[in-house]
Amino acid sequence: MKRALVIGGNGTLGKAVVAKLQEYSVEVITAGRQSGDYHVDMTSTESITSLFETVTNIDYVIVAAGQTHYAKLEELTPENNMISVQGKLLGQVNIVLIGQHYINDKGSFTLVSGIIQDHPILKGASSAMVNGAIDSFAKAAAYELPRGIRLNSVSPNLFVESAEKYKGVFIGFNPVPVERVANTFIQSALGIETAQTFKIY
Amino acid sequence: MKRALVIGGNGTLGKAVVAKLQEYSVEVITAGRQSGDYHVDMTSTESITSLFETVTNIDYVIVAAGQTHYAKLEELTPENNMISVQGKLLGQVNIVLIGQHYINDKGSFTLVSGIIQDHPILKGASSAMVNGAIDSFAKAAAYELPRGIRLNSVSPNLFVESAEKYKGVFIGFNPVPVERVANTFIQSALGIETAQTFKIY
């Protein structure tokens, strides 16, 4: 039985990914900042290392979480921009950099970026920046992974499930059901592709 | 007479950009870590702020520098990856975040990324990551800049002038003359476009 580690498994997206993995008879271990089977602070390399030391025999690592800072550009500063850099960009990248030494042969990493790098929204520059970084990192790093390990990113649109809450921000975006997004995480994690960005727009 | 601040004006690219700006009768001020009219440490927000406090009345800010760390993925760590994050990504982003409050009306920012986000090379994952971030940041942030200020990034191929030195790394890349790249920096800085990535591949 294959085993997946889903980081951020208790959010809207994470829960949908977990359900989808179970449809495919994959054993799921979840980790999160305050919930999940294990606790992990993505901003701490010690915490990520500890997670991989503790949770062994993992085939699929899926990240469905990452904090970004939304602010008008005039109010975006070198300091508050670091919330996105640490919380979403380096958090995910470090999971790959550390996890590459632990994950099973022929395993996979799936990271999450987002649509606003392609279609910016007001206050979204910091988030767009990290999304672009994640996709470019996944594309470049994938080719250097050993032992048949794969790496992709998934860039989702606004979810149908969050559309009412965010429709004033994601103006005119056509939301997608989170179940569709979760399915694409499965495609990335269990399929054969690598070095790809799966855009669900 | 319009005034340009070229950060990294003493490198191969910077010198070509300076020469091209002078062809267009733009007054050029250069800044660099160890050379140029003014010294600036792009990894320090205090140093960037001090530069903009000192060098006033700037129409065009052009960045032609940024340090990245090249390492095999297995040797890339959360720690050495920060060389690229601080030296190229945050350096450039912070120049925009701080400089937006100083640059003249209808001014422009031009940042530099690079081809390996689109065509990865061995040991280039960290560099590809920051290149993708810079392009996505430029695209998103540009739409929020006030007072007619524009923002673009330029993503160059390997330079003809460096091709012999790097041909074992940039295998099979078709190098471009640095003069062509410098011309594109002028197109970005003095033209009308914004939120664009100019790819010179």
Side-chain angles (χ1 to χ4, degrees):
Chain A
M1 197 178 192
K2 298 286 188 181
R3 278 161 53 94
L5 172 61
V6 181
I7 298 168
N10 261 37
T12 307
L13 173 61
K15 280 180 181 163
V17 170
V18 168
K20 195 61 75 174
L21 284 165
Q22 287 164 341
E23 282 181 31
Y24 280 84
S25 301
V26 173
E27 184 184 345
V28 178
I29 299 104
T30 58
R33 199 164 31 168
Q34 288 167 336
S35 58
D37 301 323
Y38 294 88
H39 286 189
V40 63
D41 174 3
M42 280 172 60
T43 67
S44 157
T45 59
E46 292 73 20
S47 179
I48 295 170
T49 303
S50 168
L51 179 68
F52 282 108
E53 289 282 346
T54 309
V55 185
T56 56
N57 185 26
I58 294 297
D59 300 287
Y60 313 123
V61 174
I62 294 174
V63 186
Q67 191 189 358
T68 57
H69 183 71
Y70 284 80
K72 284 185 188 169
L73 190 72
E74 65 183 300
E75 290 162 4
L76 192 63
T77 64
E79 291 71 32
N80 61 31
N81 186 41
M82 287 306 290
I83 297 168
S84 309
V85 172
Q86 296 283 359
K88 187 165 180 178
L89 172 55
L90 297 178
Q92 296 198 64
V93 166
N94 291 344
I95 282 167
V96 175
L97 294 184
I98 295 167
Q100 67 177 327
H101 305 295
Y102 294 91
I103 194 170
N104 287 350
D105 291 2
K106 300 188 178 176
S108 68
F109 293 95
T110 302
L111 309 182
V112 61
S113 57
I115 190 173
I116 66 175
Q117 62 181 307
D118 287 314
H119 296 287
I121 59 170
L122 192 65
K123 302 186 183 179
S126 181
S127 183
M129 179 190 76
V130 303
N131 288 341
I134 290 160
D135 288 350
S136 294
F137 173 78
K139 179 172 178 172
Y143 294 114
E144 292 197 53
L145 283 167
R147 305 186 281 111
I149 300 163
R150 296 176 301 102
L151 166 60
N152 300 298
S153 58
V154 176
S155 180
N157 202 327
L158 174 67
F159 305 146
V160 166
E161 290 73 8
S162 324
E164 191 57 32
K165 183 174 173 192
Y166 293 116
K167 75 177 180 184
V169 181
F170 287 84
I171 299 167
F173 285 59
N174 289 309
V176 296
V178 74
E179 187 269 346
R180 264 194 71 192
V181 178
N183 219 16
T184 302
F185 273 80
I186 302 301
Q187 186 180 21
S188 165
L190 279 62
I192 62 169
E193 292 181 80
T194 193
Q196 302 302 313
T197 298
F198 292 81
K199 297 189 178 187
I200 317 167
Y201 295 174
Chain B
M1 197 179 193
K2 297 287 187 180
R3 279 161 54 94
L5 172 61
V6 181
I7 298 168
N10 260 36
T12 307
L13 173 60
K15 281 180 181 163
V17 170
V18 169
K20 195 61 77 176
L21 284 165
Q22 287 164 342
E23 281 182 32
Y24 280 83
S25 302
V26 173
E27 184 184 346
V28 178
I29 299 104
T30 57
R33 199 164 32 169
Q34 289 167 336
S35 59
D37 302 323
Y38 295 89
H39 287 189
V40 64
D41 174 3
M42 280 172 58
T43 66
S44 157
T45 58
E46 291 72 20
S47 179
I48 295 170
T49 302
S50 167
L51 179 68
F52 282 107
E53 289 282 346
T54 309
V55 185
T56 56
N57 186 25
I58 295 297
D59 299 288
Y60 314 123
V61 174
I62 294 174
V63 186
Q67 191 189 1
T68 56
H69 183 71
Y70 284 80
K72 285 185 188 169
L73 190 72
E74 64 183 300
E75 290 162 4
L76 192 63
T77 64
E79 292 71 30
N80 61 30
N81 185 41
M82 287 306 291
I83 297 169
S84 310
V85 172
Q86 294 284 359
K88 187 165 180 179
L89 171 55
L90 297 179
Q92 297 197 65
V93 166
N94 290 345
I95 283 166
V96 176
L97 295 184
I98 294 167
Q100 66 177 328
H101 305 294
Y102 294 90
I103 194 170
N104 287 349
D105 291 2
K106 300 189 179 177
S108 68
F109 293 95
T110 302
L111 308 182
V112 60
S113 57
I115 190 174
I116 66 175
Q117 62 180 308
D118 287 315
H119 297 287
I121 60 171
L122 192 65
K123 302 186 183 179
S126 181
S127 183
M129 178 191 75
V130 303
N131 288 341
I134 290 159
D135 289 349
S136 294
F137 172 77
K139 179 172 180 170
Y143 294 113
E144 292 196 54
L145 283 167
R147 303 186 282 112
I149 299 163
R150 296 176 302 102
L151 167 60
N152 300 299
S153 57
V154 176
S155 180
N157 202 326
L158 175 66
F159 305 145
V160 166
E161 290 73 8
S162 324
E164 191 58 32
K165 184 174 173 193
Y166 293 116
K167 76 177 179 183
V169 182
F170 287 83
I171 299 167
F173 284 59
N174 288 309
V176 297
V178 73
E179 187 268 347
R180 263 194 72 192
V181 178
N183 219 15
T184 303
F185 272 82
I186 302 302
Q187 186 180 19
S188 165
L190 279 64
I192 61 169
E193 291 180 80
T194 194
Q196 302 302 314
T197 297
F198 292 81
K199 297 188 177 187
I200 318 168
Y201 297 173

